[in-house]
DNA sequence: GTCTATATTTCGATAGAC
DNA sequence: GTCTATCGAAATATAGAC
C-alpha cells in the first residue's frame, strides 16, 4: 500500500547506463507500432538493442509493463485539453466549446503522432492491459473521456455526430497526412486541417 | 497454375455439416475483432465453437488462411466504388467526383461495419499477411487504392487534404456511431453523417 | 546491470484412428 | 469430418554467475 513499493532503477548515479530504460521504451514504441505488440517478442527488442532478454527483465518485470509505460505517456497528452473540458459546468458548455477544443487537439495530435499511432494500432492489446489489474488508477485516457461526452443522450443528435465527425476528420487528417501527404509541408498540413475542420461548424 | 489447384471442402452434399466453415469464419471474425488476431488462439476458436483444433485444420490449412479469407470479404466491399473511380480519365476527375464517392462509401461502411472493424483493429496482422506470399493477386484493397489517389502530388494540397478529412469524418462517424450513439436510430445517423460531411465541400 | 542457461507454458501444426 | 495425442518451435519468465 506504500506509495512506492518497488523502487525502479530509474538512473544510475554516474553516466554508466542510466538511459537504458529509455532506449528500451523508444525501441519498443517503434517496434510495437510497426509490427504490433503481440508480434514483437522480447527477443526482437533485445537483439535490435544489442543486449539480451534477461537485461530487459531487469528494467521491466513483465512485457506488459513496457506497453503500460508507453500507455502512461499517452495519458499525459490529452491532459491539458481534457482538464479544460472538465472545468466546464455541463456537457452543453463542452459541446459549445468544441471548435476551440478541436483546434488544440490538432496541435497535440501533430506533436505526438507516433504515440497515437501506437494507440491506434494496438487497441486490442491496450484494452487487454486495462482489464488486467494494477491499472485502475490513471485509467482515464483521452479516448474514454471523449467517449463519455459523445455518449450523452441529452445533447442533440446532430451536435453529437458533428463532434464525432470533426474529431475524426482532424485526427485522421493529421495522422494520415504524415504518410499520404509527405510532399506537403507539415505546417501547411496543420493549417489546412484547421481550415477544413472549421468548416464543419458553420 | 491451374485456376483451382486445391478444391476446398465448401459444402457437403446433404445437410451433414456444410456450414461448419462458415461458422468458423463468423466466430473468427468476432474474436479477431474483439481481442485481436494474434491474441486469439485456435484453441480459443475451437473451444467456443464446441470442437477441436484439429477440426479447424480440416477446413483451413493454416491459421493465416482464416484471416486471409476474411480479408477477401473485405476486398469485395469497395469494389463497386473503386471500379467507378478507375473508370474516370484522371485523378482530377476523381477528385471532382469525391463528394458522390463519399456518399457511396458511407453506405458501404454502414453495411459492413464489423468487417471494417476487423480491418481497423488488425492492420498489423493484415499487413504481415500481404507480405507473406500467395496473396499477390487481389491485393488491391480499398485502402491501398485510396492511398494512391491521395498521394498524387499533382492535385492541389487543399483538395487532397479535404478528400482525406472527409473520408475520415465519414468512416469515423459511421463506425463510432455504432457504439457511441447507440440511442440514435442508425438510419438517422446515416443521414446526419451525409449532411455533415457534405458541408466539407461547400 | 548484464550475462548464460534453463524452466514453463502456449501455440501452430501433424499423424493417424475412427 | 472430427477426434486424441503429440511434436517442435517460440515465447515469457526465472535462476544464478559475474
Amino acid at each position: 500500500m506504500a506509495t512506492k513499493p518497488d523502487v525502479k532503477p530509474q538512473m544510475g548515479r554516474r553516466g554508466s547506463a542510466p538511459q537504458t530504460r529509455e532506449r528500451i521504451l523508444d525501441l519498443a514504441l517503434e517496434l510495437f507500432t510497426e509490427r504490433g505488440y503481440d508480434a514483437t517478442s522480447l527477443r526482437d527488442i533485445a537483439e535490435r538493442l544489442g543486449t539480451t532478454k534477461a537485461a530487459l527483465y531487469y528494467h521491466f518485470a513483465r512485457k506488459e509493463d513496457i506497453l503500460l509505460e508507453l500507455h502512461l505517456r499517452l495519458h499525459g497528452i490529452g491532459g491539458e485539453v481534457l482538464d479544460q473540458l472538465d472545468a466546464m459546468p455541463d456537457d452543453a458548455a463542452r459541446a459549445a466549446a468544441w471548435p476551440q477544443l478541436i483546434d488544440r487537439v490538432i496541435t497535440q495530435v501533430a506533436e505526438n503522432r507516433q504515440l497515437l499511432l501506437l494507440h491506434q494500432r494496438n487497441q486490442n492489446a491496450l484494452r487487454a492491459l486495462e482489464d488486467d489489474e494494477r491499472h485502475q488508477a490513471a485509467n482515464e485516457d483521452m479516448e474514454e473521456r471523449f467517449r463519455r461526452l459523445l455518449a450523452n443522450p441529452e445533447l442533440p443528435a446532430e451536435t453529437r455526430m458533428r463532434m464525432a465527425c470533426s474529431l475524426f476528420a482532424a485526427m485522421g487528417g493529421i495522422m494520415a497526412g504524415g504518410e499520404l501527404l509527405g510532399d506537403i509541408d507539415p505546417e501547411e498540413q496543420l493549417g489546412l486541417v484547421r481550415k477544413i475542420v472549421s468548416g464543419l461548424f458553420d
Side-chain angles (χ1 to χ4, degrees), chain A:
Chain A
M1 290 286 182
T3 311
K4 291 187 177 182
D6 50 350
V7 179
K8 291 168 185 174
Q10 217 76 1
M11 43 203 156
R13 218 173 299 261
R14 291 173 296 274
S16 55
Q19 77 289 37
T20 301
R21 187 186 173 88
E22 291 303 315
R23 295 210 306 135
I24 295 173
L25 287 169
D26 288 345
L27 183 57
L29 174 58
E30 180 186 331
L31 294 179
F32 289 171
T33 48
E34 77 182 19
R35 31 179 119 162
Y37 173 76
D38 291 295
T40 302
S41 70
L42 295 179
R43 183 177 150 279
D44 289 333
I45 298 177
E47 259 178 18
R48 289 200 29 182
L49 201 135
T51 180
T52 65
K53 277 191 297 178
L56 301 183
Y57 275 98
Y58 173 80
H59 296 278
F60 298 92
R62 294 172 300 271
K63 182 190 178 186
E64 276 189 1
D65 290 349
I66 303 180
L67 182 62
L68 179 58
E69 183 111 344
L70 292 173
H71 187 39
L72 291 181
R73 293 187 181 181
L74 201 58
H75 280 169
I77 298 182
E80 190 187 1
V81 177
L82 286 162
D83 291 345
Q84 196 176 341
L85 262 190
D86 284 342
M88 297 180 181
D90 54 21
D91 280 351
R94 283 181 261 275
W98 196 256
Q100 290 88 35
L101 184 136
I102 287 288
D103 213 62
R104 308 195 66 166
V105 166
I106 289 173
T107 306
Q108 297 288 316
V109 171
E111 286 174 354
N112 299 278
R113 197 167 166 278
Q114 185 155 20
L115 267 179
L116 286 165
L117 267 180
L118 173 78
H119 178 253
Q120 187 199 330
R121 297 190 181 167
N122 290 283
Q123 294 178 46
N124 290 307
L126 286 169
R127 199 163 53 81
L129 207 64
E130 292 175 11
D131 299 342
D132 202 24
E133 19 66 73
R134 78 180 151 271
H135 184 263
Q136 294 90 355
N139 197 357
E140 297 285 288
D141 67 341
M142 190 159 49
E143 191 180 351
E144 182 55 32
R145 291 164 84 180
F146 273 130
R147 198 179 297 273
R148 214 173 303 149
L149 174 52
L150 293 182
N152 181 353
E154 298 190 5
L155 291 174
E158 179 168 343
T159 299
R160 291 161 66 194
M161 186 60 95
R162 200 173 287 273
M163 291 192 292
C165 287
S166 59
L167 187 57
F168 284 113
M171 294 192 62
I174 296 295
M175 296 293 286
E179 351 178 28
L180 297 180
L181 311 175
D183 56 318
I184 302 174
D185 173 60
E187 281 304 320
E188 186 186 350
Q189 289 187 31
L190 281 194
L192 285 173
V193 172
R194 287 187 208 282
K195 176 183 174 185
I196 291 167
V197 173
S198 74
L200 285 171
F201 301 112
D202 295 338

